[in-house]
Amino acid sequence: MLVSLQLGSLIAPAYACGCGAMVPGRESRVAVDRETSVVGWDGRTEQIVMRLTVRGDAPEAAWIMPVPHRATVELGDPEVFSELSGLTAPAHVTRHYFWPRDRDWPFGGATGDSAAAPLPGAPSVEVVGRERLGPFDVARLAANDPEALRSWLTENGFDLPDRLATALQPYVDRKWEYVAVRLAPRDGTEPLRGTLDPLRLRFASDRPVYPMRLSKLAANPQQLELYVLAAHRMEPRGRIGGDAPEVTYAGRVDTRAASSDTDALAGLTGGGPVFLTAIEQSFPRPELIDGDHELRAAGADTPYRTEIFEDRLLTVAGTPAWVLALLAVAGVVGAVVLSVVLRVARRGTATAPGAR
């Protein structure tokens, strides 16, 4: 996802990811240039692998990811994204045309290529676990009050905006839990830049979901890029406040570990055939986002691949076919004319003696 999203409630700009909310420390800036996510679902368990590419002058930043059930978190395999990019790359299709166009000779140039139970008692936060994973300080939390959650995050170094509590209320009402992530290099001085190690979340889920609700805090348009691995072709149940989702790839792939091209995917899916769906969606007005992406099986497992067409002038051995065709026509016409001339000449020769 390409994002550069400013929240006006802080002294320094803050940025929101499609799956949660990211903010830097005060007096610093951070931007998520790209967020790519993979959702894998086997009917009982969902996995989300996320990779962020960031820039700015912030030595640390934080974001929060709501999840419907208790999650485990570990570093993901970056090769997953390389494999998915290769599998879903558009097909390049060459279309030939016969007659020359503006850019072709003789007009313009030469020929060529062109839910967990509620917590009892007073509002509180339960720390399910806390780990250090590469550049990430990860806290897995359960809370029954958004203000208590925000307070815990602030007290523990996750400097998130005050109005995040309001945005979290729907998740608290549904008894979701949270993965809070603080991005901090080990030396604590270098700014966050470049592509970070991916994170892999795993949690129980009877239906696949991709959290998007917190992105309504963003001020600028967002672009979602999502890969979904499941038994069938998948689609979002609705637009949730954005443009119509667009499928850019759909097809069955074999992720058995024996395939050298899909080794990393085999680790994510368990191996074997799986249906891969790539989805893109624009959110011109993120304040209209009113829910999370709930994914469902499409009506049919219809394969699809984006095609990029390249139009080329039809040539034969490097010569434009239209030139050869005109030469052939000219040759035929010339032969006919020559035949007529010779026939007339022979008739004239045959009748010449009778003229005496």
Side-chain angles (χ1 to χ4, degrees):
M1 199 185 324
L2 304 177
V3 284
S4 181
L5 310 172
Q6 183 176 17
L7 304 177
S9 62
L10 298 181
I11 295 175
Y15 300 84
C17 302
C19 61
M22 169 177 272
V23 297
R26 297 181 184 273
E27 308 298 338
S28 59
R29 298 171 180 267
V30 67
V32 179
D33 283 335
R34 186 175 184 85
E35 177 188 343
T36 306
S37 296
V38 185
V39 171
W41 184 63
D42 62 7
R44 296 173 299 175
T45 303
E46 179 175 343
Q47 300 184 65
I48 297 178
V49 182
M50 307 176 57
R51 185 174 67 176
L52 305 179
T53 301
V54 302
R55 58 181 169 84
D57 60 5
E60 61 181 39
W63 57 271
I64 186 168
M65 174 79 157
V67 289
H69 294 278
R70 185 149 299 177
T72 61
V73 186
E74 60 185 349
L75 290 177
D77 187 344
E79 287 300 317
V80 166
F81 301 96
S82 298
E83 292 176 5
L84 288 171
S85 179
L87 288 170
T88 62
H92 290 263
V93 180
T94 299
R95 299 185 299 190
H96 290 97
Y97 56 92
F98 186 79
W99 293 111
R101 299 178 180 177
D102 291 344
R103 64 183 176 84
D104 299 314
W105 181 87
F107 303 114
T111 61
D113 290 347
S114 61
L119 300 175
S124 62
V125 175
E126 176 188 354
V127 180
V128 177
R130 191 165 185 175
E131 301 91 16
R132 177 80 188 203
L133 301 173
F136 305 107
D137 175 14
V138 179
R140 290 174 291 129
L141 310 169
N144 63 1
D145 180 85
E147 284 294 343
L149 177 59
R150 188 195 62 79
S151 296
W152 187 96
L153 291 168
T154 301
E155 292 169 1
N156 287 271
F158 297 85
D159 190 9
L160 298 173
D162 293 342
R163 60 185 177 135
L164 181 66
T166 301
L168 286 170
Q169 187 64 57
Y171 296 115
V172 173
D173 293 342
R174 295 162 63 186
K175 309 299 187 295
W176 281 35
E177 296 192 3
Y178 313 90
V179 175
V181 181
R182 190 167 61 89
L183 296 84
R186 292 189 180 277
D187 58 19
T189 59
E190 292 295 323
L192 290 166
R193 289 176 184 163
T195 300
L196 305 176
D197 294 334
L199 277 178
R200 178 175 173 179
L201 288 70
R202 183 187 287 110
F203 49 88
S205 179
D206 57 1
R207 56 182 179 178
V209 60
Y210 186 71
M212 285 288 298
R213 192 185 300 269
L214 295 184
S215 295
K216 70 185 303 176
L217 298 176
N220 296 330
Q222 296 190 64
Q223 187 75 20
L224 172 65
E225 181 179 5
L226 188 65
Y227 297 102
V228 185
L229 295 160
H232 299 282
R233 174 170 169 164
M234 305 297 285
E235 64 183 10
R237 289 182 177 272
R239 299 186 179 189
I240 64 168
D243 293 344
E246 176 186 1
V247 172
T248 59
Y249 178 89
R252 196 167 295 281
V253 297
D254 194 342
T255 62
R256 287 175 294 188
S259 172
S260 60
D261 294 333
T262 57
D263 286 346
L265 281 180
L268 179 61
T269 64
V274 67
F275 207 96
L276 169 60
T277 312
I279 301 169
E280 293 184 358
Q281 185 181 14
S282 298
F283 294 87
R285 298 180 59 191
E287 71 274 12
L288 299 180
I289 296 175
D290 57 4
D292 301 312
H293 262 323
E294 296 182 5
L295 302 165
R296 64 183 178 187
D301 289 340
T302 306
Y304 174 80
R305 192 184 198 102
T306 300
E307 294 182 332
I308 298 177
F309 294 100
E310 180 181 3
D311 293 334
R312 293 186 181 183
L313 181 67
L314 183 63
T315 62
V316 177
T319 302
W322 68 271
V323 172
L324 297 176
L326 290 180
L327 290 174
V329 170
V332 171
V333 172
V336 170
V337 171
L338 179 60
S339 176
V340 171
V341 169
L342 292 176
R343 187 177 302 174
V344 170
R346 285 195 297 268
R347 286 178 180 176
T349 302
T351 58
R356 292 178 301 178

